[in-house]
């Protein structure tokens, strides 16, 4: 095959310099709300009422990226509503309100008239209300970008503006926050219930079938009317779910049927009919708790939806997750990736993950990188696997772009178990608060052991102490193999303390140890490079496996040669951008 006729063209020809490099982007398809729809979708009246009742003065408005186009209008509507709500309080105290601002052309719309008519009842009933508190105006701040996921409340950005409360718009994971109160506005979407009702009747022809109705947080208002329509059709075994701020619930953030709470029925006896496509973490969580799951896609046209395609299968996703955690069983270094700074108890789960990794004889490093992507964590090639700490929705990372697997704290517990003890039951949990509660129950149960048995065990340990020490040596531990390659892994637990070989001591002899030596040791007893007396697998990786170790390492081989000359050290620029100093004198 003949090669190319010339060198490849790596730059733009002069004849095309002034041509558009990319085609014009299509116009935005974001829906433009009318004034009435804006007040209804973003629940302006309810938001104003809760802000006034909470007496918050600095309010942060958090929008997802697709709703930022409406942020200025929502800001203006809330400002106008808060200003109108302040007038009655000032009138009761004899204070003249500030001059009214000029309203838009659509001031007399039905939504704004209703807001102004109902705003009179929003004043505080407390007769001891302080005058200075009523005179302080509320300040609104738009959070243009989120530190982590859009589903989580961004307390970090809110604290930058010293906010008292966060108004969260759009779908949310409803994870409990650590510091700030939250007003949730789900921005409910419209939905035609007729095709949903027809799809339900096609899937469940038996009217006695036990079914749980559930919808995504933006369509939750359509569940009660759908239940009413189904009851009229004769479906009396259909149960309703309500929003509940508890990701650790058997159905995350939803209530369970009353019959299940009373113990009359089991949750696994029910099928689930879900409106809108749920996140994958929810599907994996419910896969082992319900009989079957059906999802009605709200984004697809109704005429293209077939009942057979609505059933969801999670077996392939669960097998993939189990393969990932099994592949990490022989890794020696784990990275703890903190993907939230606002979810309640995130520091407790970080401490628990660290202790679990250390108890397994492995090394862990903690990272806070903001929004997680493959390029960021690919810089740390020493890490064999990542454990992500985040909300119950964002903890599941299944992108193939990541170089090393990313697992959850629940999956880490299975990873650190031995091959004989690891049993995959199909259960999958994403909320780490649920994991903490379960572990607390186990620790409380283990602390109730009989004191007599503990004393007996202590006596047996004292009598057989010498034999146990011999059996606890690393040489007696079974060898570990990588289940993917079948190769023997020698340093899968580099942090496991090494046991010195025992020597027999006769009568009248004193056993000596080398621990009293003050010599500088570059290697720990288990063969891993040590820094300040502590084994460091990361430093061992840097010394033995990294080819580039920083600036100047490119000339390392040249220095060893007689004629090799390294780079000349030159003094660079210093100063600030308005005036650099070169060679200590000239300014540019």
């Amino acid at each position: 095959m003949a090669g190319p006729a010339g060198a490849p063209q790596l730059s733009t020809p002069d004849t095309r310099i002034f041509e558009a490099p990319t085609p014009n982007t299509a116009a935005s398809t974001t829906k433009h709300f009318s004034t009435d729809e804006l007040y209804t979708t973003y629940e302006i009246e309810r938001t104003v009422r809760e802000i006034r009742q909470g007496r918050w003065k600095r309010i942060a408005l958090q929008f997802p990226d697709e709703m930022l186009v409406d942020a200025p209008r929502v800001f203006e509507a809330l400002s106008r509503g808060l200003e109108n709500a302040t007038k009655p309080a000032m009138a009761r105290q004899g204070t003249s309100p500030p001059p009214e601002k000029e309203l838009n052309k659509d001031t007399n719309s039905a939504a704004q008239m209703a807001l102004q008519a109902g705003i009179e009842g929003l004043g505080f009933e407390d007769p001891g209300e302080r005058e200075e508190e009523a005179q302080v105006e509320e300040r609104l701040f738009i959070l243009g970008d989120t530190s982590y996921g859009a589903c989580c409340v961004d307390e970090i950005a809110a604290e930058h503006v010293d906010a008292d409360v966060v108004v969260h718009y759009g779908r949310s994971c409803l994870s409990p926050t650590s510091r700030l109160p939250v007003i949730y506005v789900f921005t409910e979407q419209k939905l035609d219930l007729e095709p949903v009702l027809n799809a339900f009747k096609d899937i469940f022809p038996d009217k006695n079938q036990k079914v749980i109705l559930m919808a995504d947080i933006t369509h939750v208002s359509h569940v009660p009317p759908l239940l009413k329509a189904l009851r009229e059709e004769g479906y009396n075994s259909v149960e309703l779910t309500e929003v509940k701020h508890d990701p650790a619930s058997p159905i995350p953030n939803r209530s369970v049927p009353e019959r299940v709470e009373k113990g009359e029925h089991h949750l696994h006896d029910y099928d689930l009919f879900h409106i809108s496509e749920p996140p994958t973490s929810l599907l994996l969580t419910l896969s082992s708790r319900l009989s079957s799951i059906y999802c009605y896609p709200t984004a697809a046209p109704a005429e293209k939806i077939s009942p057979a395609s609505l059933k969801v299968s999670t077996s392939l996703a669960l097998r993939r997750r189990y393969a990932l955690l099994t592949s990490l069983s022989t890794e020696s270094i784990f990275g703890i990736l903190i993907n939230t700074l606002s979810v309640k108890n995130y520091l407790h789960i970080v401490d628990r993950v660290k202790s679990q990794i250390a108890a397994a004889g492995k090394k862990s490093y903690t990272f806070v990188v903001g929004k997680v992507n493959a390029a960021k964590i690919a810089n740390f090639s020493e890490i064999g696997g990542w454990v992500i700490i985040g909300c119950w929705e964002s903890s599941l990372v299944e992108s193939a772009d990541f170089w090393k697997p990313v697992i959850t704290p629940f999956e880490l517990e299975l990873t650190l178990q031995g091959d004989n003890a690891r049993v995959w039951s199909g259960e999958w949990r994403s909320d780490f608060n649920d994991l903490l509660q379960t572990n607390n129950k186990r620790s409380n149960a283990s602390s109730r052991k009989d004191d007599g048995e503990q004393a007996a065990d202590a006596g047996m340990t004292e009598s057989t102490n010498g034999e146990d020490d011999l059996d606890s040596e690393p040489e007696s531990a079974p060898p570990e193999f990588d289940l993917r390659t079948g190769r023997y892994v020698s340093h899968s637990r580099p942090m496991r303390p090494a046991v010195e070989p025992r020597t027999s001591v006769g009568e009248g002899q004193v056993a000596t140890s080398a621990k009293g030596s003050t010599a500088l040791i570059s290697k720990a007893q288990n063969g891993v490079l040590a820094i300040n007396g502590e084994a460091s697998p990361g430093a061992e990786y840097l010394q033995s496996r990294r080819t580039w170790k920083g600036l100047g390492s490119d000339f390392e081989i040249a220095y060893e040669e007689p004629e090799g000359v390294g780079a000349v050290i030159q003094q660079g620029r210093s100063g600030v951008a308005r005036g650099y100093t070169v060679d200590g004198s000239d300014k540019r």
Side-chain angles (χ1 to χ4, degrees):
M1 180 180 296
Q9 189 172 1
L10 302 179
S11 60
T12 304
D14 296 340
T15 56
R16 300 190 60 186
I17 288 179
F18 296 101
E19 295 182 8
T22 56
N24 295 329
T25 57
S28 175
T29 57
T30 305
K31 180 181 178 181
H32 180 76
F33 291 105
S34 64
T35 304
D36 294 345
E37 292 175 340
L38 184 78
Y39 273 69
T40 302
T41 302
Y42 288 94
E43 303 183 41
I44 301 298
E45 184 176 351
R46 180 180 70 87
T47 306
V48 171
R49 180 171 62 252
E50 294 193 15
I51 291 175
R52 295 294 296 168
Q53 291 176 353
R55 301 186 181 185
W56 295 305
K57 299 303 179 182
R58 302 177 68 87
I59 301 97
L61 309 179
Q62 179 180 343
F63 294 86
D65 293 342
E66 63 273 12
M67 294 183 181
L68 281 176
V69 64
D70 296 327
R73 299 180 63 197
V74 174
F75 180 94
E76 182 182 358
L78 288 176
S79 301
R80 188 180 303 117
L82 291 171
E83 180 182 353
N84 294 336
T86 306
K87 294 178 182 179
M90 289 186 173
R92 289 195 301 270
Q93 300 174 6
T95 306
S96 59
E100 297 184 358
K101 297 180 180 180
E102 184 180 358
L103 302 180
N104 291 341
K105 296 180 180 179
D106 55 358
T107 303
N108 297 324
S109 63
Q112 291 186 353
M113 293 176 63
L115 177 62
Q116 294 177 1
I119 211 69
E120 299 295 334
L122 301 182
F124 297 116
E125 300 297 334
D126 185 6
E129 182 181 18
R130 294 175 300 179
E131 180 179 356
E132 59 272 13
E133 182 178 348
Q135 293 179 351
V136 176
E137 292 185 1
E138 293 87 353
R139 296 193 61 184
L140 304 176
F141 303 89
I142 298 177
L143 306 183
D145 192 12
T146 55
S147 302
Y148 296 97
C151 64
C152 298
V153 177
D154 193 356
E155 289 186 328
I156 303 303
E159 289 181 347
H160 288 170
V161 297
D162 196 19
D164 301 323
V165 64
V166 179
V167 183
H168 185 279
Y169 294 98
R171 70 176 314 278
S172 172
C173 60
L174 299 181
S175 298
T177 55
S178 300
R179 295 171 289 274
L180 295 178
V182 185
I183 299 176
Y184 289 99
V185 179
F186 297 144
T187 60
E188 297 173 354
Q189 306 297 320
K190 295 182 178 180
L191 179 65
D192 186 8
L193 290 180
E194 187 65 24
V196 182
L197 181 62
N198 296 332
F200 185 93
K201 293 190 294 185
D202 293 338
I203 296 173
F204 304 104
D206 185 7
K207 296 184 178 181
N208 296 323
Q209 182 73 22
K210 299 176 182 178
V211 183
I212 295 178
L213 289 181
M214 183 177 173
D216 192 60
I217 205 72
T218 57
H219 295 86
V220 71
S221 62
H222 303 291
V223 176
L226 178 60
L227 177 64
K228 181 180 178 180
L230 290 173
R231 291 289 172 82
E232 294 176 355
E233 295 286 341
Y235 288 90
N236 297 322
S237 298
V238 179
E239 300 290 345
L240 179 69
T241 58
E242 298 179 354
V243 176
K244 178 181 179 182
H245 293 244
D246 184 14
S249 176
I251 302 179
N253 292 326
R254 298 296 187 277
S255 60
V256 297
E258 184 178 357
R259 298 177 181 178
V260 176
E261 291 183 352
K262 294 181 179 180
E264 299 176 0
H265 293 164
H266 194 273
L267 190 60
H268 198 270
D269 299 334
Y270 287 84
D271 296 326
L272 178 67
F273 185 82
H274 193 280
I275 300 176
S276 184
E277 296 182 359
T280 308
S281 57
L282 178 62
L283 293 177
L284 296 182
T285 302
L286 297 178
S287 60
S288 61
R289 303 179 183 181
L290 294 163
S291 177
S292 60
I293 302 175
Y294 296 86
C295 295
Y296 182 87
T298 56
E303 59 274 7
K304 295 184 179 181
I305 298 177
S306 61
S309 62
L310 299 184
K311 187 171 184 179
V312 178
S313 176
T314 58
S315 58
L316 181 61
L318 287 174
R319 290 199 299 266
R320 182 168 59 250
R321 300 305 303 178
Y322 183 69
L324 285 178
L325 66 91
T326 306
S327 65
L328 297 177
S329 60
T330 56
E331 293 293 341
S332 60
I333 307 176
F334 283 88
I336 302 175
L337 198 58
I338 299 180
N339 194 37
T340 180
L341 295 177
S342 59
V343 178
K344 188 177 181 180
N345 295 328
Y346 78 95
L347 290 177
H348 296 282
I349 193 63
V350 170
D351 294 338
R352 176 168 180 79
V353 167
K354 287 182 179 179
S355 61
Q356 287 179 332
I357 296 176
K362 301 176 184 291
K363 182 68 175 180
S364 65
Y365 296 93
T366 306
F367 299 84
V368 181
V369 295
K371 290 184 178 179
V372 179
N373 58 52
K376 287 182 180 179
I377 64 177
N379 292 316
F380 309 99
S381 56
E382 301 89 344
I383 306 299
W386 297 90
V387 183
I388 188 168
I389 307 297
C391 73
W392 69 277
E393 286 190 8
S394 62
S395 295
L396 182 62
V397 179
E398 288 195 306
S399 176
D401 298 335
F402 289 88
W403 186 34
K404 296 297 177 62
V406 183
I407 61 176
T408 64
F410 169 73
E411 295 170 337
L412 175 68
E413 290 190 354
L414 296 176
T415 301
L416 298 180
Q417 294 178 2
D419 296 335
N420 297 329
R422 187 186 305 114
V423 177
W424 180 254
S425 61
E427 180 188 12
W428 196 86
R429 288 184 287 176
S430 57
D431 182 47
F432 61 75
N433 284 300
D434 183 21
L435 200 62
L436 288 174
Q437 294 176 6
T438 304
N439 293 328
N440 291 336
K441 292 179 181 179
R442 292 176 182 175
S443 60
N444 293 335
S446 61
S447 63
R448 300 190 188 102
K449 290 184 178 180
D450 187 16
D451 296 338
E453 294 182 359
Q454 293 181 357
D457 294 341
M460 294 179 61
T461 303
E462 183 178 357
S463 61
T464 59
N465 189 22
E467 298 179 1
D468 290 344
D469 288 343
L470 291 176
D471 294 337
S472 63
E473 294 184 7
E475 290 79 9
S476 63
E480 296 189 35
F481 297 89
D482 191 338
L483 297 180
R484 298 168 299 171
T485 61
R487 296 179 179 178
Y488 171 70
V489 181
S490 59
H491 290 294
S492 64
R493 304 178 186 272
M495 305 305 295
R496 181 173 54 188
V499 178
E500 297 181 0
R502 295 177 55 88
T503 58
S504 59
V505 181
E507 296 183 1
Q509 295 181 356
V510 179
T512 59
S513 175
K515 291 183 178 180
S517 175
T518 58
L520 181 62
I521 302 176
S522 60
K523 290 281 186 178
Q525 293 180 355
N526 52 8
V528 180
L529 188 68
I531 297 179
N532 294 331
E534 182 179 355
S536 176
E540 179 71 19
Y541 186 97
L542 175 64
Q543 184 187 51
S544 60
R545 299 180 60 180
R546 270 195 183 271
T547 57
W548 191 82
K549 303 176 182 178
L551 296 176
S553 62
D554 301 336
F555 302 96
E556 183 176 356
I557 300 178
Y559 292 151
E560 299 176 357
E561 301 176 1
E563 66 278 3
V565 179
V568 179
I569 299 178
Q570 299 179 353
Q571 183 178 0
R573 293 183 178 182
S574 62
V576 294
R578 64 182 180 181
Y580 290 110
T581 300
V582 182
D583 295 335
S585 57
D586 298 335
K587 292 186 177 180
R588 297 179 183 178

